[in-house]
Amino acid sequence: MGNVAVMSTPVAEGRVRGPIDRRLASRVAVTRRYLVLAVLVGVLATASVVAQAVLLATIIERALRHHVTPGSLAPQFAGLAAAITVRAACGWAGEVAAHRTSAAVTAVLRRSLLAHALELGPGWLAGERAGELSLTATRGVGALDAYFGRYLPQAVLAGLVPLGVLAWIAAQDWESVLVLGGLVALVPVAMVLFGREATRRTAHQWRRLSSLAGRFLELVVGLPTLRAFGRAGQARREIAAATEGLREATMGTLRVAFLSALAMEFLAGIGTGLVAMVLGLRLLGGHVPLTTALAVLLVSPEVFLPLRRVGAEFHASTEGQAAAGRILDVLDLRSPAPAPAEPAPGARAAAPGAGMGGGPPAVALSGLTVRFPGRSTPALEHLDLAVEPGRRVAVLGPSGAGKSTILHVLLGFVAPDGGRVEVGGTALGSVPGRQWRRSITWVPQHPALLRGTVADNLRIGDPDADPEALEAAATAAGLGPFLSQLPRGLETPVGEGGLDLSAGERQRLAIARAMLKDAPVVLLDEPMSHLDRETEAALRSSVDHWLAGRTVLVAAHRPDAVPGIDRVVDLARAAPAGADGGSPSHVATAGGPPPGGEQVATCPDPGKAGPPDTPEGPPTLATEARR
Amino acid sequence: MTAAGLPARRRPALEVVRALARLGRAPRGRLVLATLLGVAGALCTVGLLAGSGYVVDRAAFRPGLGAIAGILACVEVLAFLRGPLRYAERLVAHDAAFRALGRWRVWLFDRLEPLSPAALGTWRTGDLLARAVDDVDVLQDLYLRGSLPVAVAAGAATLAVVVVGVLLPPAAAVLGGALLVALVVPPAVAALARPGRGREAALRGSLASDVVDLLRGAPDLLAFGQEEAMLGRVAEVEDELLQLARRRAWAAGLGSAVVTLCLGAAVVGVLAEAVAAVAGHRLDPVMLAVLPLAAIGAFEPVPAVMAAAVRTGDVVAAGRRRLDLADVPVPVEDPEDPVEVSPGCPSVEFEEARLRYGPDRPWALAGATLSLPPGSRTALLGSSGAGKSSLLNVLLRFWPLAGGRALLGGQPIDRYAQVDARRCIAVVDQEARLFAGSIRRNVVLGRPDASDEEVAEAIRLAQLDDWVASLPEGLETTVGEGGAKVSGGQRQRIALARALLTGAPLLVLDEPTAGLDRPTAEQLLADVLSSTGRAAEERTVLLVTHHPAEAAGFEQVAVMEAGRVTEVRRADRAGRGDGPAPTRAS
């Protein structure tokens, strides 16, 4: 996806919107091929329209003047049938090309959108974005279907057929061209007049629609809570009112959006009417041959027909354009991740910590500062933290003190605003994120459960794991009793349409998954917060065994969150008190002797060797971090 | 579970359409009006073209202006009318569709409400998103791109054939035949492309859930380097969808070609009949141009029918998915003659309560007995899976009992209306659910008519006051979708404030300290106990936890194991001996 970032340009203000967003045409090669084909089909269709009209006029004129039998007009009738067949073939080719293009473009755009969203990273996806974006990637991309399948073929014909037909009429009868040409010239005027406003309103409408969809989903997901508080009725009224409000707003939009179609219909009607009048009057004076008059009359609706059809699909176009715009806007965003797509020259090509003689790497953070937009206090400020190779360090602190943020920085999800992050002497940002994360495994606080079987979810940790390995990891993570009560065991479907797992079961699944990824650095985020004491106790020895020989950083509320913690870092002492609701009085109580009796030191331990390239020398603790 | 509960019966298309019309309370008047406007507009086209042909043919005989002036005037009037008629038709039709849409949406919510959370346990956001948003939006096309264009085309065609029949019956036969083929063949062609449709819907569904998985699970996928694999999975589904789309494109093209050919056949046939009739002196030569032009006009609404046929297939499929919801059994029904909840603080008793979540599932409650006297404070301990949450599901009337009894205020709980029973209970969920909007909005969900002072008091009791005071926007700070913008601890405390605000006599705390650091958790529990302690006779507290230490200070401690209450201790310091004492340094 590196080429996307290279191709991308900043979102241009007030860019010109043709029938096709230029960014779309330049990004998706299929679009260009389609346009060429569509033009060819359009030219051929125009020719057959004119031929059809001329032949019809000839037949009528002969029959009118000479009262001939159909048999004597056989060549003309045959020609007419041929012209019609060509036109039908053109229609077929045009439709097939349009629908195929539509499917191809949708697929390409969805793929780029998803890949780019991943590149922008979990930091960007956090909050409401994921839901909003999945709507864009499904429904929004679907709107493109109507755009490519229905609007674009008509738009291309609308651009070609009227001009071709007008050119032919001009060669036959220039006075009719004055009438028709004048009316056709009004079409762009009407489009600009009504179309601009309609586009603006439709874009606004789209935002409202997606926010209503998001709200609807949220209320449905929150139904248990709403019911528990007896507020489901209130939510129902809210949905009804929002939908009704949306209807009124949409009708307002449509009243404007349909104006362009109205103008088109109107011009077309007037066009035919006026041409009939002009031709009739000139026929009365004998200034025009009947064949010409008839042919011109027959083709005159064809000048407007493609324009009217395109007008009828106008809101399919604006919705599709709005959707395409949203997708292209996302694609145009530059990845905030500091990592290069390719390793920087001179940087080691391997994952950090690999190839260092087999031992686990050291983890070192120095002067780490992270600020989140819209928050007055930094989430982390000048934090120094080092984990020596093979050691286990617990980061404690009240909720919101930035424990998870440290792990997210180490995972490359959150770009630091200052400071240096190193794993095994390799600096974050000097190697691609994919490669950086290869040496890290993680137990998130809220692990995602993907649609698939339990085994599929475990294989996230190691796609090549055999069933025995999966079984072993599941047992080690304490999932044994849970799996044994499922008739299909590891092959039980979970996630959407399958079994929903409790928070504790998810947590154990995440531990098993993390175990399967045999990485030298282990990041644990409240790994056992949802486990009861017995389960946790049963798990401790296997977790201890797993963590042996790895460099471990744990974010936790308790210093005994995992066994064998070598050192505790208390963010409550390092971070400004009260940054997140934990008031100073509680902060002071943290870090007391834990009941479990593990080796805990709350003071710096200068005796342990730090990473070789830490300029300050021995590793320092976060407790010294405030400068 | 739910997936297995879905019906195997496939509703016939007609039944789906009828049911949808009923549920959307089809705005009949508006639909009829839209159809009439559409037919009138289409007839304007026929009249405009045929009239123009007449004017030109007639003028060729140079009869003088007076002879064509009347017809010319009519042509101009029709030319003026057509646009506004079409405009009005589309507005009326869209209005009707949106009205029905709103009703369908509310209907869905109504269907989902009694199924939640029990019968919806296995659903997730992706599927609901697809069902709720996409299906509903597809349904609006039932009229707009479905029945309406068909009605207009059929109406206009019939009238055009009648008019042509008056002039030249054989021509009417040709035109009628061609129109019939053009109206019937496209649906047949759509059916030709149909075999892939069910598969396509399934693929779209799995695509939607994969997209949600990919975006919501992005951190996990990236951390484990599995993002490419997941993108590959999406790509596979898309490739298959592309194959199906190709076939559909072929059929769509064929349909439009058939319509063009029918139009051609009609024009050629009608013209041949007219030429023969003129040669045989059965028709005024002036009508020579009128007839083929009328045929062209009559075909104008026909292409929309092909699209309508395709679209109706989608609508019926979406409608079928939505209607299948109606077949999912509602787990808990209100009694026909509910008893009133007596005022004051009710007692709660479980006697040999049994519950399981499916016939093939293990017993979640296997005869649990527990009594909560009014004003008592009970801690319910037990490992995960012991049945603690199931007990709450019974209390909140989310699940029915399969055996034994549950009493609220001395009455079996299933004799109350669900709403009434829940009104007695304030809950802090295990994973507290917040809604997008301000902190205040989330707190007053507990009691919408609460005064500012009461809200402030609830905020204070939940230990949120310092934090709220530090926020620039205070209580009006937004929490994001699902509370995503606030930390887990704050989410829990906002949920606690919401529960305290209800003033319900029974306060249920389901693992309220999960995700909180120890000192904060202890302070929180201490505050809850002291705030409820002041009015002990008014409020019963039930704390569900797996931390024995948190039971300290509760006068009754119950322990659950394997769906049974195995131990009940009534002592002021019940929790002390059970586990390590809470650490309270400083």
Side-chain angles (χ1 to χ4, degrees):
Chain A
M1 282 317 297
N3 57 334
V4 171
V6 174
M7 277 171 65
S8 64
T9 48
V11 180
E13 273 300 310
R15 61 180 168 265
V16 184
R17 282 177 186 272
I20 295 190
D21 194 318
R22 259 182 289 163
R23 294 183 295 167
L24 201 60
S26 69
R27 205 180 280 278
V28 190
V30 191
T31 331
R32 287 196 296 273
R33 226 170 35 229
Y34 164 71
L35 284 177
V36 172
L37 181 73
V39 168
L40 286 177
V41 167
V43 170
L44 204 56
T46 312
S48 68
V49 161
V50 170
Q52 211 178 311
V54 171
L55 287 163
L56 263 172
T58 313
I59 293 168
I60 292 171
E61 195 264 348
R62 292 271 186 88
L64 194 74
R65 298 271 188 231
H66 313 294
H67 293 224
V68 293
T69 57
S72 64
L73 290 168
Q76 283 82 358
F77 273 112
L80 189 58
I84 287 163
T85 311
V86 169
R87 206 175 174 193
C90 284
W92 188 348
E95 285 265 345
V96 170
H99 280 97
R100 284 182 163 217
T101 310
S102 138
V105 170
T106 350
V108 168
L109 275 184
R110 178 151 36 215
R111 272 175 221 187
S112 330
L113 179 70
L114 294 177
H116 196 61
L118 285 176
E119 199 172 293
L120 290 169
W124 183 80
L125 274 171
E128 291 157 47
R129 275 245 177 72
E132 215 177 270
L133 207 60
S134 50
L135 190 67
T136 306
T138 50
R139 206 188 165 281
V141 170
L144 287 177
D145 245 344
Y147 175 64
F148 277 98
R150 295 207 307 266
Y151 172 74
L152 259 195
Q154 299 300 341
V156 172
L157 289 181
L160 291 172
V161 176
L163 290 181
V165 172
L166 278 179
W168 180 81
I169 296 176
Q172 308 299 314
D173 182 48
W174 62 269
E175 286 188 31
S176 302
V177 158
L178 285 186
V179 174
L180 288 172
L183 291 171
V184 168
L186 285 176
V187 169
V189 177
M191 282 293 232
V192 169
L193 208 62
F194 303 121
R196 279 249 173 93
E197 180 66 5
T199 310
R200 193 183 63 75
R201 289 200 184 196
T202 311
H204 173 70
Q205 206 54 29
W206 172 264
R207 281 194 296 276
R208 286 196 56 166
L209 181 66
S210 55
S211 82
L212 178 65
R215 182 75 183 153
F216 187 42
L217 175 70
E218 198 194 33
L219 291 175
V220 168
V221 171
L223 261 172
T225 304
L226 291 171
R227 291 188 87 201
F229 283 96
R231 299 284 169 257
Q234 190 185 326
R236 178 190 193 272
R237 282 193 296 280
E238 189 184 322
I239 289 170
T243 311
E244 182 59 15
L246 191 69
R247 179 185 70 81
E248 277 164 19
T250 307
M251 288 311 296
T253 307
L254 292 183
R255 252 171 241 132
V256 177
F258 290 164
L259 277 182
S260 58
L262 169 65
M264 210 76 71
E265 291 272 352
F266 197 70
L267 291 174
I270 298 296
T272 306
L274 284 184
V275 164
M277 188 164 80
V278 169
L279 291 172
L281 294 178
R282 294 177 61 225
L283 277 168
L284 286 179
H287 302 303
V288 65
L290 176 60
T291 321
T292 307
L294 273 172
V296 169
L297 180 67
L298 281 163
V299 294
S300 71
E302 303 286 351
V303 174
F304 292 99
L305 193 63
L307 292 173
R308 285 169 56 206
R309 293 230 171 108
V310 86
E313 299 299 349
F314 189 75
H315 75 288
S317 114
T318 46
E319 194 178 310
Q321 293 241 20
R326 287 166 62 92
I327 293 165
L328 292 169
D329 285 347
V330 172
L331 291 180
D332 283 347
L333 287 175
R334 279 175 199 283
S335 166
E342 298 299 325
R348 269 166 301 198
M356 291 191 57
V363 171
L365 312 170
S366 52
L368 181 65
T369 300
V370 175
R371 286 187 191 86
F372 289 120
R375 299 280 142 138
S376 51
T377 45
L380 293 169
E381 197 168 18
H382 292 298
L383 174 82
D384 293 338
L385 172 66
V387 189
E388 302 78 9
R391 295 289 180 177
R392 302 178 192 175
V393 170
V395 180
L396 300 193
S399 320
K403 302 186 297 293
S404 298
T405 308
I406 297 175
L407 304 190
H408 289 166
V409 167
L410 275 167
L411 284 161
F413 293 168
V414 172
D417 292 290
R420 194 172 165 76
V421 178
E422 286 183 6
V423 169
T426 306
L428 176 71
S430 66
V431 295
R434 217 174 138 69
Q435 193 181 326
W436 172 265
R437 288 188 278 267
R438 209 168 288 155
S439 56
I440 299 173
T441 188
W442 177 46
V443 177
Q445 201 174 357
H446 301 290
L449 190 63
L450 305 179
R451 188 176 61 97
T453 62
V454 175
D456 291 338
N457 273 278
L458 288 176
R459 280 201 200 93
I460 296 288
D462 177 10
D464 304 321
D466 55 32
E468 288 75 38
L470 298 182
E471 198 82 52
T475 310
L479 278 172
F482 164 70
L483 287 175
S484 66
Q485 68 168 35
L486 298 175
R488 293 169 68 188
L490 279 172
E491 296 308 317
T492 306
V494 293
E496 183 171 309
L499 192 67
D500 199 24
L501 302 189
S502 75
E505 287 153 358
R506 283 181 192 222
Q507 212 156 37
R508 278 173 279 167
L509 197 67
I511 292 173
R513 186 176 74 174
M515 285 174 166
L516 280 165
K517 180 175 179 182
D518 187 19
V521 177
V522 182
L523 305 180
L524 304 159
D525 201 346
E526 309 274 4
M528 310 210 192
S529 60
H530 288 288
L531 303 185
D532 54 78
R533 224 156 238 286
E534 291 92 286
T535 315
E536 190 184 327
L539 225 99
R540 287 184 84 85
S541 71
S542 58
V543 166
D544 190 29
H545 181 71
W546 168 47
L547 295 180
R550 298 175 206 270
T551 308
V552 181
L553 189 60
V554 190
H557 291 320
R558 311 187 334 246
D560 62 340
V562 295
I565 291 290
D566 293 302
R567 211 175 59 224
V568 168
V569 173
D570 194 343
L571 277 190
R573 292 193 192 160
D580 185 57
S583 60
S585 63
H586 316 127
V587 166
T589 65
E598 281 88 0
Q599 291 293 316
V600 174
T602 48
C603 56
D605 183 355
K608 285 169 183 163
D613 50 353
T614 304
E616 289 88 347
T620 52
L621 274 183
T623 39
E624 301 168 359
R626 294 175 80 187
R627 308 175 187 170
Chain B
M1 239 167 28
T2 313
L6 284 179
R9 188 180 78 95
R10 199 179 144 85
R11 290 161 200 274
L14 203 62
E15 185 189 323
V16 172
V17 171
R18 282 215 190 104
L20 288 177
R22 196 181 64 245
L23 293 171
R25 276 180 280 138
R28 286 221 181 75
R30 284 188 166 78
L31 290 173
V32 170
L33 179 62
T35 310
L36 290 179
L37 288 167
V39 171
L43 287 180
C44 274
T45 304
V46 176
L48 174 61
L49 288 175
S52 302
Y54 182 87
V55 166
V56 169
D57 268 6
R58 193 75 208 273
F61 293 100
R62 307 179 68 173
L65 185 59
I68 61 166
I71 292 287
L72 205 49
C74 289
V75 165
E76 301 309 323
V77 168
L78 291 178
F80 268 98
L81 271 181
R82 190 176 68 170
L85 279 172
R86 291 273 299 138
Y87 180 75
E89 177 214 338
R90 299 174 79 197
L91 278 185
V92 172
H94 277 82
D95 189 51
F98 289 142
R99 278 170 200 273
L101 181 66
R103 288 166 197 154
W104 283 319
R105 199 169 262 157
V106 170
W107 174 80
L108 178 73
F109 190 80
D110 283 347
R111 281 304 314 164
L112 290 176
E113 200 227 292
L115 299 180
S116 171
L120 293 185
T122 61
W123 286 29
R124 276 196 320 139
T125 52
D127 191 26
L128 282 176
L129 185 79
R131 278 178 189 247
V133 179
D134 288 353
D135 282 357
V136 166
D137 282 351
V138 168
L139 288 187
Q140 70 181 345
D141 284 351
L142 176 66
Y143 304 124
L144 280 183
R145 293 186 195 282
S147 58
L148 210 57
V150 175
V152 168
T158 311
L159 289 171
V161 169
V162 168
V163 171
V164 170
V166 170
L167 296 171
L168 186 65
V174 171
L175 177 60
L179 277 168
L180 200 61
V181 173
L183 287 173
V184 169
V185 167
V189 169
L192 198 77
R194 185 117 206 116
R197 280 297 186 154
R199 177 80 190 133
E200 192 171 351
L203 283 174
R204 284 195 187 282
S206 63
L207 184 70
S209 60
D210 280 352
V211 164
V212 172
D213 273 355
L214 183 83
L215 293 173
R216 291 208 196 269
D220 304 61
L221 292 168
L222 283 166
F224 289 94
Q226 294 305 305
E227 67 274 16
E228 297 292 336
M230 191 69 183
L231 283 172
R233 187 162 136 180
V234 171
E236 265 174 43
V237 177
E238 292 226 304
D239 284 341
E240 201 181 333
L241 274 170
L242 265 177
Q243 296 292 330
L244 293 174
R246 292 222 171 94
R247 193 159 75 180
R248 201 147 43 92
W250 189 85
L254 185 61
S256 99
V258 166
V259 170
T260 308
L261 287 175
C262 285
L263 168 61
V267 170
V268 170
V270 166
L271 191 55
E273 289 292 345
V275 169
V278 168
H281 301 286
R282 285 178 284 122
L283 184 71
D284 184 349
V286 162
M287 290 296 166
L288 266 174
V290 171
L291 292 174
L293 277 165
I296 291 172
F299 262 85
E300 207 201 44
V302 171
V305 173
M306 169 76 194
V310 173
R311 197 61 185 155
T312 305
D314 295 342
V315 170
V316 169
R320 196 175 275 140
R321 279 198 295 278
R322 298 288 298 282
L323 291 169
D324 282 350
L325 264 182
D327 297 341
V328 179
V330 172
V332 179
E333 303 266 15
D334 276 336
E336 276 177 25
D337 186 19
V339 294
E340 295 279 312
V341 179
S342 49
C345 190
S347 62
V348 174
E349 278 139 289
F350 295 95
E351 295 173 5
E352 287 296 314
R354 297 174 75 80
L355 175 153
R356 62 174 158 183
Y357 294 103
D360 52 348
R361 305 288 308 258
W363 287 103
L365 292 180
T369 302
L370 180 66
S371 163
L372 311 177
S376 67
R377 292 182 297 191
T378 304
L380 184 60
L381 294 173
S383 55
S384 44
K388 306 187 299 291
S389 297
S390 299
L391 218 51
L392 298 187
N393 278 343
V394 172
L395 191 58
L396 284 166
R397 295 217 61 204
F398 285 157
W399 265 109
L401 279 179
R405 295 207 302 167
L407 305 173
L408 182 69
Q411 293 276 359
I413 197 161
D414 53 11
R415 294 195 52 197
Y416 297 103
Q418 297 173 59
V419 178
D420 289 342
R422 287 181 202 127
R423 198 169 290 145
C424 306
I425 306 164
V427 196
V428 179
D429 310 21
Q430 204 166 0
E431 276 175 56
R433 184 83 211 169
L434 298 192
F435 298 91
S438 64
I439 296 173
R440 178 197 299 278
R441 221 178 137 190
N442 272 286
V443 173
V444 299
L445 188 80
R447 189 148 54 89
D449 58 353
S451 70
D452 284 355
E453 289 73 33
E454 288 166 321
V455 172
E457 174 67 5
I459 291 280
R460 197 190 60 74
L461 285 174
Q463 278 194 308
L464 278 168
D465 42 353
D466 286 350
W467 177 65
V468 168
S470 80
L471 297 169
E473 290 177 65
L475 277 176
E476 300 309 323
T477 307
T478 54
V479 300
E481 188 184 305
K485 287 189 196 160
V486 295
S487 76
Q490 287 148 0
R491 206 174 323 174
Q492 216 68 27
R493 277 180 273 185
I494 292 172
L496 178 65
R498 176 168 70 192
L500 292 173
L501 186 65
T502 61
L506 192 53
L507 179 65
V508 175
L509 308 163
D510 188 5
E511 306 274 5
T513 60
L516 294 188
D517 53 297
R518 266 315 75 210
T520 316
E522 282 159 19
Q523 187 63 47
L524 187 70
L525 283 177
D527 278 8
V528 168
L529 287 179
S530 68
S531 71
T532 54
R534 262 182 283 131
E537 63 284 355
E538 285 169 27
R539 196 172 263 183
T540 310
V541 180
L542 176 62
L543 169 75
V544 174
T545 178
H546 59 246
H547 287 297
E550 290 183 351
F554 283 79
E555 60 212 43
Q556 173 171 271
V557 177
V559 180
M560 282 197 86
E561 254 173 61
R564 283 192 186 84
V565 178
T566 51
E567 194 185 338
V568 178
R569 277 167 284 157
R570 287 185 188 83
D572 278 351
R573 294 286 167 262
R576 288 282 167 180
D578 202 77
T583 321
R584 298 216 56 178
S586 86

